[in-house]
Amino acid sequence: MSFLVLIALGALLLWLPISSHGGLAFSEALFTACSAVTVTGLVVVDTGSALTLFGQIVVLVLIHLGGLGLMTFAALTVMALGVRFGLRGQHLVREAMNQTSPGDMLTLVRQVALLAFTLEALGTVLMAVVWVPEMGFWEGLWFSFFHAVSAFNNAGFGLRADSLSAWAGHPLINLVITALFIVGGLGFTVLMDLRRHRRFSALNLHSKLTLSGTAILALGAWLLIMLFEWQNPHTLGSLPTGERPWAAWFTAVTPRTAGFNTVDTAGLIVPSTLLIILLMFIGAGSNSTASGIKVSTFMVILLATRSFLLGRPQPSAFRRTVALDVVFRANSVVVLSLMMVLLGTFLLVVFEPRLQLLDLVFEGFSAFGTVGLSRGITGELSLPGQMVLMVLMFTGRIGPLALAFSLARPRRRRVRYVEELVQVG
């Protein structure tokens, strides 16, 4: 409900004449607000040229509220006012932040907010070194701040129509932007665990799976993108040789739901496009500013498959056993996510018969993973097509399992039935 309210308020603010040059249709304002709150980055109007400074500030506020969560900011506001935060309030914050331990939620909220604001400020300063000399002080500073917030929150909103293509080979911009959305996508649980222990061996199993899965996916995708796109004149092949590894790295890690691009996404060859679709579906870490089925879910599915093939009763990793309840939950997340994104893609194909199938599939997975990458068709979609994307963005950000729980009201059965074998495979 908080996300729906934010989207509605954001749409009304963006619909105001002060928010844009020439005015936005309400459908455009609604789509932009939904994309910002769900930290997706898909746009039907160019953020930098169509929106005024006020409109850009509205988008940035929506990104922050959507990325860190409304409950986080509500808790911060209550603490700033000196109001006592009761047990019920802490329970709501714990649920909103997907925490299971009964620790002090207010301390966690303060740490999360401090970490986010510190990293965004650091990213702003580092990128201002490049952009202030190029654009002037105020414009360069705003450009740096906007992209730092957008990157950390994995939003993918940019102030240029070509995203960050002008800096495809710039080492500092590549490193800062990717570091921000990778850290933001690890998840606050992992970041707090790293802060407490600092050694990989001392981390909990969730943190180990998230960190190892992130590293494997990032490095593997980097090598594959370089292999597929090195000679492609529409992407890496158009860049000097020294800039190609940087552009390949950015292209490989941005599908974790960041949404920025330094090469033309529509110019990618089919193998690279399919790889990015898979990466967008996996997404980043749980309890982070990113979406997708989550890296930890993907790792649990792989471990469960390995355990079944080896004839083991339960999956294990790093000398720890994964609970069967977690395996069932991971399977449910994957199945519900696939059903949702395939249904959305099917509807896109029905509503947009003039567009290419691969482009529509890419758009559907990008919306559900709240990535924001596009092959250039978002602005060409009809109103029904845009509504499908908004539903996919909302579902992807909330999480299909959480949404199903809230709608279905599951109850524990008191009757246990006789087991019977079913043939599968």
Side-chain angles (χ1 to χ4, degrees):
M1 290 301 298
S2 66
F3 274 77
L4 288 175
V5 170
L6 275 178
I7 291 170
L9 290 176
L12 291 174
L13 289 173
L14 291 173
W15 197 31
L16 296 175
I18 193 176
S19 296
S20 61
H21 302 289
L24 296 180
F26 184 74
S27 60
E28 294 174 334
L30 181 63
F31 189 94
T32 304
C34 182
S35 183
V37 171
T38 59
V39 290
T40 302
L42 289 173
V43 293
V44 291
V45 296
D46 180 48
T47 308
S49 60
L51 299 183
T52 62
L53 178 61
F54 178 81
Q56 293 172 15
I57 292 174
V58 170
V59 168
L60 213 58
V61 172
L62 293 177
I63 288 173
H64 243 150
L65 292 174
L68 295 183
L70 183 61
M71 287 304 300
T72 301
F73 281 94
L76 287 174
T77 304
V78 169
M79 286 186 287
L81 294 174
V83 179
R84 182 180 177 82
F85 215 86
L87 292 177
R88 185 173 181 274
Q90 293 198 40
H91 177 69
L92 287 173
V93 175
R94 184 182 299 113
E95 285 190 341
M97 299 188 71
N98 196 27
Q99 294 292 308
T100 56
S101 63
D104 186 3
M105 283 296 102
L106 302 187
T107 301
L108 178 61
V109 165
R110 281 193 290 265
Q111 291 174 344
V112 166
L114 179 62
L115 176 67
F117 297 148
T118 301
L119 290 176
E120 289 169 357
L122 180 61
T124 299
V125 172
L126 291 175
M127 290 187 289
V129 174
V130 177
W131 286 331
V132 165
E134 291 185 13
M135 305 176 186
F137 183 78
W138 292 113
E139 183 179 355
L141 189 63
W142 172 247
F143 201 84
S144 303
F145 178 66
F146 188 97
H147 284 83
V149 173
S150 184
F152 180 79
N153 289 279
N154 279 248
F157 275 85
L159 296 179
R160 287 172 58 112
D162 61 350
S163 191
L164 298 172
S165 298
W167 300 275
H170 199 291
L172 182 61
I173 298 300
N174 275 272
L175 287 174
V176 173
I177 291 288
T178 56
L180 282 172
F181 63 65
I182 288 174
V183 172
L186 287 176
F188 300 117
T189 304
V190 175
L191 295 177
M192 294 302 106
D193 196 19
L194 283 170
R195 181 179 178 181
R196 286 192 299 267
H197 298 105
R198 301 175 186 263
R199 291 185 298 109
F200 185 82
S201 59
L203 300 176
N204 60 43
L205 181 58
H206 169 75
S207 298
K208 290 179 179 178
L209 289 177
T210 300
L211 291 171
S212 57
T214 298
I216 292 170
L217 290 171
L219 295 176
W222 185 26
L223 295 175
L224 288 174
I225 291 294
M226 283 197 290
L227 175 65
F228 295 149
E229 300 292 328
W230 192 263
Q231 299 295 337
N232 184 355
H234 303 293
T235 55
L236 300 186
S238 63
L239 300 172
T241 303
E243 295 183 3
R244 295 181 192 181
W246 288 112
W249 166 253
F250 200 99
T251 305
V253 296
T254 196
R256 63 184 289 113
T257 81
F260 295 106
N261 63 281
T262 56
V263 298
D264 182 14
T265 308
L268 296 170
I269 63 175
V270 174
S272 301
T273 303
L274 295 177
L275 173 63
I276 288 177
I277 288 174
L278 174 62
L279 294 172
M280 291 192 298
F281 183 69
I282 295 173
S286 298
N287 191 25
S288 71
T289 59
S291 300
I293 63 170
K294 305 299 190 297
V295 173
S296 55
T297 304
F298 178 69
M299 296 294 287
V300 167
I301 293 296
L302 291 182
L303 292 173
T305 303
R306 185 191 68 172
S307 177
F308 173 77
L309 294 176
L310 295 177
R312 298 172 180 172
Q314 282 184 268
S316 60
F318 301 106
R319 298 183 179 181
R320 293 291 186 273
T321 299
V322 180
L324 288 178
D325 181 64
V326 174
V327 177
F328 289 138
R329 188 182 182 91
N331 283 326
S332 300
V333 169
V334 172
V335 171
L336 287 172
S337 298
L338 276 175
M339 290 173 60
M340 177 60 68
V341 75
L342 291 178
L343 175 61
T345 303
F346 175 77
L347 292 176
L348 286 175
V349 172
V350 172
F351 293 140
E352 313 293 343
R354 70 191 187 283
L355 298 177
Q356 295 293 322
L357 176 61
L358 183 60
D359 294 344
L360 292 172
V361 172
F362 191 94
E363 200 83 3
F365 275 85
S366 179
F368 179 80
T370 69
V371 180
L373 290 175
S374 175
R375 290 173 63 86
I377 67 168
T378 311
E380 301 178 27
L381 297 177
S382 62
L383 182 58
Q386 292 179 18
M387 292 177 65
V388 171
L389 288 188
M390 284 190 281
V391 172
L392 285 175
M393 289 188 289
F394 180 81
T395 307
R397 184 59 184 141
I398 299 298
L401 198 60
L403 189 61
F405 278 159
S406 66
L407 296 177
R409 301 290 182 186
R411 297 189 181 119
R412 189 178 298 275
R413 286 184 179 271
R414 296 184 178 181
V415 178
R416 182 176 178 182
Y417 299 111
V418 177
E419 291 184 358
E420 187 172 340
L421 295 177
V422 177
Q423 294 181 2
V424 296

